[in-house]
């Protein structure tokens, strides 16, 4: 557990679950600025330590399915935000969501929590719940469980959230920008009421002060009701792209649609599927009662085009605070790097590389911290591209997630098909693989100074195999390590040396090994 160091407001205490995710990571500073004290519940607290607001919050380790950790986290809490769901964790994700909501509601009641606030999905009018997508059906059920918990509850129901880094926005952006002519599913004609992320956050913060007698669901949306086709056309206009040609066809099922989206956009099929399934039915707000308790300020709710304009501005200025990939990818490994040599689990294969670098340690570190995304991986781009494509075809994240920030990384950031597990400025970057693998994998890069005062680059790739398939995988790819990992070490050292002499730029090293892979 960590305690707030400074800047915590004197107001009521809010618990935020899902603070490592897209909405939760943006809600925390909004609550702090509104004068609330904030406690975050996270399975991996270290992933929050580098956020600019981390020193103003309390972070506790726990999981919403673990009754004891939830009870401890809710002790003394006034308002509890429930911003988690188990989508994609397996076929029984609805049961996991159901169990977690019951645990959270029950422990909140016992702790005397004044209010629960939950962000769910907007459901279509007149459609039986059994006909909804599993995603929407589970969101609706969680809302009912929390409303029945005995704690006054606010359930906010939103459709497509438009904001820099949101999965819905990234899907819309990349489909529109990359495909001037699109053969699309019939759901492009479905009417949707999108909402700007800043209006979602405003409603979430305002819900904390609702009167005790209010316990109900509220629809939240922007002023525009559009088809997805309209949204793509308006996005193209705001982004100053040529007019897009859109040809809908009836043969693309939600499953096929999700794979199509996964191949064209950074959003993998596992994330795209619930988004596309939710577009089968019209999702339009039936009321705007939230304004009784959270009044609309001038200029709000934001219209679709203004929300897109603000999101694009953030993207172009590299000022995206959280992204859809901030949360762990469903099914991705989360085991920390084993540090015990006798780690229970058997074999731990290792590939080590070292190079002396004719540059300062700081120059080397800038190259290390700038790896991935547009800068690429400094070796055999075809191999990286092929691995990314294979991962996509297997339902993984591939290489297209890129980076949140072009120059800086923080613990918990997604980085192509890796996640930053540990970062020590000017010394260590440790990445944990989130691609589909028969085992667990890490990649470490070090900037060091040896006994002679020279800068040394040290690199270590580790793989813990799962079963026979894992061992076979390692030995099958081992012949390529000299090219992939050896080339990476060589080109990182060369780029750092070249940048130190002023003949290259760490932000654009594509001229020598740092080629974008995909």
């Amino acid at each position: 557990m960590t305690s707030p160091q400074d800047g915590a407001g004197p107001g009521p205490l809010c618990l935020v679950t899902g603070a490592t995710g897209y909405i939760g990571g943006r809600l925390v500073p909004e609550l702090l600025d509104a004068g609330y004290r904030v406690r975050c519940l996270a399975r991996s607290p270290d992933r929050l330590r580098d956020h600019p607001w981390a020193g103003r919050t309390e972070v506790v380790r726990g999981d919403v399915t673990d009754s004891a950790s939830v009870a401890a986290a809710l002790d003394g809490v006034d308002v509890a935000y429930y911003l988690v769901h188990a989508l994609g964790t397996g076929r029984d994700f609805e049961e996991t969501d159901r169990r977690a909501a019951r645990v959270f509601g029950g422990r909140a009641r016992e702790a005397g929590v004044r209010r629960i606030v939950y962000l769910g999905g907007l459901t279509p009018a007149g459609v039986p719940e059994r006909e909804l997508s599993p995603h929407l059906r589970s969101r609706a059920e969680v809302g009912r469980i929390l409303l029945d918990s005995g704690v006054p509850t606010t359930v906010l129901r939103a459709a497509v959230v438009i904001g820099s880094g949101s999965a819905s926005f990234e899907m819309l952006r990349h489909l529109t920008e990359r495909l001037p002519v699109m053969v699309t599913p019939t759901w492009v004609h479905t009417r949707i009421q999108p909402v700007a992320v800043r209006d979602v956050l405003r409603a979430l913060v305002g819900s904390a002060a609702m009167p005790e007698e209010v316990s109900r669901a509220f629809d939240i949306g922007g002023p525009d009701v559009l088809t997805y086709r309209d949204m793509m056309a308006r996005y193209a206009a705001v982004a100053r792209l040529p007019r897009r040609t859109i040809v809908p066809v009836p043969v693309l099922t939600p499953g096929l649609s999700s794979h199509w989206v996964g191949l064209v956009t950074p959003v993998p099929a596992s994330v795209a599927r619930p988004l596309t399934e939710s577009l089968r039915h019209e999702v339009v707000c039936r009321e705007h009662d939230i304004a009784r308790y959270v009044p609309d300020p001038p200029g709000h709710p934001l219209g679709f085009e203004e929300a897109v304009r603000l999101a694009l501005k953030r993207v172009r200025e590299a000022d995206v605070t959280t992204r859809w990939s901030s949360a762990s990818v469903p099914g991705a490994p989360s085991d920390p790097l084993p540090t015990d040599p006798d780690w229970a689990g058997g074999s731990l294969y290792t590939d080590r590389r070292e190079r002396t670098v004719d540059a300062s340690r700081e120059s080397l570190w800038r190259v290390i911290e700038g790896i991935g995304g547009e800068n690429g991986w400094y070796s055999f781009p075809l191999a990286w591209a092929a691995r990314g494509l294979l991962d996509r075809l297997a339902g993984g994240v591939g290489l297209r997630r890129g980076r949140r920030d072009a120059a800086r990384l923080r613990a918990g950031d997604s980085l192509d098909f890796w996640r930053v597990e540990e970062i020590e400025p000017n010394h260590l970057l440790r990445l944990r693989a989130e691609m589909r693998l028969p085992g667990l994998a890490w990649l470490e890069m070090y900037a060091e100074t040896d006994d002679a005062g020279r800068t040394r680059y040290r690199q270590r790739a580790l793989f813990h195999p799962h079963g026979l398939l894992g061992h076979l995988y390692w030995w099958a790819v081992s012949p390529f390590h000299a090219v992939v990992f050896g080339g990476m070490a060589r080109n990182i050292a060369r780029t750092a040396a070249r940048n130190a002499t002023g003949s290259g730029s760490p932000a654009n090293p594509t001229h020598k090994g740092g080629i974008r892979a995909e």
Side-chain angles (χ1 to χ4, degrees):
M1 176 184 293
T2 62
S3 299
Q5 298 172 4
D6 55 65
L13 176 62
C14 296
L15 176 72
V16 177
T17 64
T20 59
Y22 177 72
I23 293 292
R26 296 187 180 212
L27 175 63
V28 170
E30 296 289 334
L31 289 170
L32 290 169
D33 290 345
Y36 292 97
R37 293 175 294 137
V38 176
R39 176 185 295 160
C40 300
L41 175 68
R43 286 178 296 176
S44 303
D46 283 349
R47 287 182 51 189
L48 296 175
R49 70 165 196 236
D50 293 335
H51 286 257
W53 42 259
R56 302 167 60 195
T57 64
E58 178 188 1
V59 180
V60 296
R61 185 184 301 273
D63 188 287
V64 290
T65 60
D66 176 47
S67 181
S69 66
V70 170
L74 287 167
D75 183 37
V77 166
D78 297 286
V79 180
Y81 285 89
Y82 193 78
L83 304 175
V84 296
H85 60 93
L87 181 68
T89 57
R91 293 182 179 179
D92 60 346
F93 81 89
E94 290 182 83
E95 173 56 31
T96 302
D97 268 340
R98 189 178 300 122
R99 185 174 71 254
R102 287 171 178 161
V103 166
F104 195 83
R107 299 297 82 75
R109 183 181 63 252
E110 293 169 3
V113 171
R114 182 172 57 80
R115 177 164 298 278
I116 295 172
V117 182
Y118 169 62
L119 179 61
L122 187 60
T123 53
V127 178
E129 193 166 292
R130 66 179 179 276
E131 295 182 15
L132 297 178
S133 69
H135 164 65
L136 280 181
R137 188 168 61 236
S138 182
R139 290 293 186 95
E141 183 182 21
V142 167
R144 287 198 306 274
I145 291 171
L146 295 177
L147 284 167
D148 292 341
S149 67
V151 178
T153 297
T154 301
V155 174
L156 301 176
R157 302 187 297 198
V160 171
V161 177
I162 302 297
S164 60
S166 77
S168 295
F169 177 72
E170 288 297 292
M171 186 172 110
L172 173 69
R173 178 165 80 96
H174 285 85
L175 284 176
T176 309
E177 290 186 352
R178 290 180 174 174
L179 298 176
V181 178
M182 285 175 272
V183 177
T184 60
T186 53
W187 50 251
V188 297
H189 291 305
T190 302
R191 295 170 75 239
I192 308 160
Q193 191 163 353
V195 59
V197 66
R198 64 173 55 190
D199 285 317
V200 174
L201 294 171
R202 181 173 55 82
L204 284 167
V205 174
S207 294
M210 279 189 178
E212 183 177 346
E213 65 271 16
V214 177
S215 185
R216 53 163 290 189
F218 296 90
D219 293 350
I220 56 174
D224 302 306
V225 177
L226 308 164
T227 67
Y228 205 87
R229 181 173 185 161
D230 294 334
M231 290 168 59
M232 288 190 284
R234 291 198 185 190
Y235 177 93
V238 172
R240 298 182 179 180
L241 299 171
R243 185 175 179 178
R244 270 32 193 166
T245 301
I246 301 169
V247 182
V249 294
V251 296
L252 287 177
T253 64
L256 289 174
S257 295
S258 65
H259 287 290
W260 171 67
V261 170
L263 288 173
V264 175
T265 80
V267 182
S270 59
V271 176
R273 177 148 193 163
L275 298 179
T276 56
E277 284 182 333
S278 300
L279 297 173
R280 288 184 299 165
H281 302 290
E282 182 177 284
V283 277
V284 175
C285 296
R286 297 182 289 277
E287 42 83 9
H288 188 53
D289 295 349
I290 187 70
R292 299 178 190 172
Y293 307 100
V294 187
D296 294 333
H300 286 263
L302 289 181
F304 174 79
E305 291 179 12
E306 182 61 19
V308 167
R309 192 172 292 111
L310 289 170
L312 280 175
K313 183 174 183 289
R314 290 264 187 170
V315 170
R316 289 165 180 168
E317 293 177 355
D319 189 24
V320 180
T321 54
T322 62
R323 303 175 67 215
W324 63 269
S325 55
S326 298
S328 295
V329 174
S334 58
D335 305 51
L337 176 70
T339 54
D340 186 344
D342 298 322
W343 184 50
S347 302
L348 186 63
Y349 293 114
T350 305
D351 181 277
R352 292 184 174 88
R353 310 280 168 172
E354 290 191 27
R355 306 283 297 191
T356 299
V357 183
D358 189 15
S360 67
R361 186 166 163 177
E362 291 73 20
S363 180
L364 173 59
W365 177 252
R366 283 194 295 272
V367 178
I368 292 173
E369 192 176 12
I371 201 166
E374 294 291 336
N375 291 340
W377 292 88
Y378 294 90
S379 70
F380 201 3
L382 181 61
W384 287 95
R387 187 63 184 86
L389 179 59
L390 287 173
D391 196 53
R392 283 265 162 175
L393 293 175
V397 297
L399 278 177
R400 293 200 185 111
R401 290 192 303 184
R403 299 170 53 103
R404 178 190 58 83
D405 186 291
R408 294 174 297 277
L409 293 173
R410 66 189 183 200
D413 271 0
S414 60
L415 179 58
D416 292 330
F417 50 39
W418 306 88
R419 188 170 297 278
V420 179
E421 182 174 279
E422 183 60 76
I423 183 168
E424 298 175 14
N426 289 316
H427 177 55
L428 164 67
L429 174 63
R430 179 185 299 138
L431 307 176
R432 186 183 70 245
E434 290 190 333
M435 74 281 277
R436 297 299 176 93
L437 287 169
L440 304 174
W442 297 265
L443 177 62
E444 292 182 330
M445 290 165 275
Y446 293 84
E448 299 177 331
T449 304
D450 66 16
D451 293 340
R454 298 171 301 185
T455 300
R456 296 283 292 177
Y457 172 69
R458 185 160 60 88
Q459 177 181 296
R460 189 169 67 141
L462 304 102
F463 182 68
H464 171 60
H466 286 170
L468 177 60
L469 183 61
H471 291 277
L472 292 175
Y473 172 83
W474 175 265
W475 290 111
V477 299
S478 290
F480 301 100
H481 286 174
V483 175
V484 175
F485 293 132
M488 177 186 292
R490 182 172 59 253
N491 289 324
I492 285 176
R494 285 178 178 174
T495 302
R498 187 169 51 251
N499 292 341
T501 64
S503 59
S505 168
N508 186 24
T510 57
H511 54 282
K512 194 73 171 181
I515 300 172
R516 187 181 181 188
E518 198 176 317

